[in-house]
Amino acid sequence: MTVNGANEPVFEVVWPGSRRAASDIAQTAPLSDLNGKVIAEVWDRVFRGDQMFPHVRNIIKRRFPQVAFVDHDEFGDIFGWNEREVIARLPELLRKHRADAAIVGVGA
């Protein structure tokens, strides 16, 4: 906020309908069966992922007993001082762990 010559506040406004900064990404078909699949857990360490992931894991394992999970610690913190490096190497780590899907937990 600045003040103009008449001592009236002047606010700068950002228009939310600006040009798109990203292009559309093609969606992958949903997995119909998670048995034999590997699910990566990716977290920003902001909101209770350490408590939520085990609950989600248990619910999924009840329905798909042969599913495997890769703990979020394998991928690093996707929010923080080195988030750019963590995100940059995420595709390589997902391939390394042969992840078929991911659960991404972000703080609310």
Side-chain angles (χ1 to χ4, degrees), residues 47-95:
F47 180 77
R48 299 176 58 192
D50 54 338
Q51 296 169 350
M52 299 304 291
F53 281 126
H55 291 292
V56 172
R57 222 180 286 138
N58 288 336
I59 291 167
I60 292 172
K61 275 194 154 297
R62 273 186 259 149
R63 186 163 172 201
F64 304 100
Q66 284 86 39
V67 68
F69 292 89
V70 181
D71 190 84
H72 58 83
D73 286 330
E74 295 292 324
F75 302 104
D77 182 355
I78 61 168
F79 175 76
W81 66 272
N82 67 339
E83 66 189 54
R84 289 181 189 261
E85 292 109 30
V86 172
I87 296 296
R89 74 172 189 262
L90 189 57
E92 173 190 336
L93 290 172
L94 291 169
R95 281 190 293 275

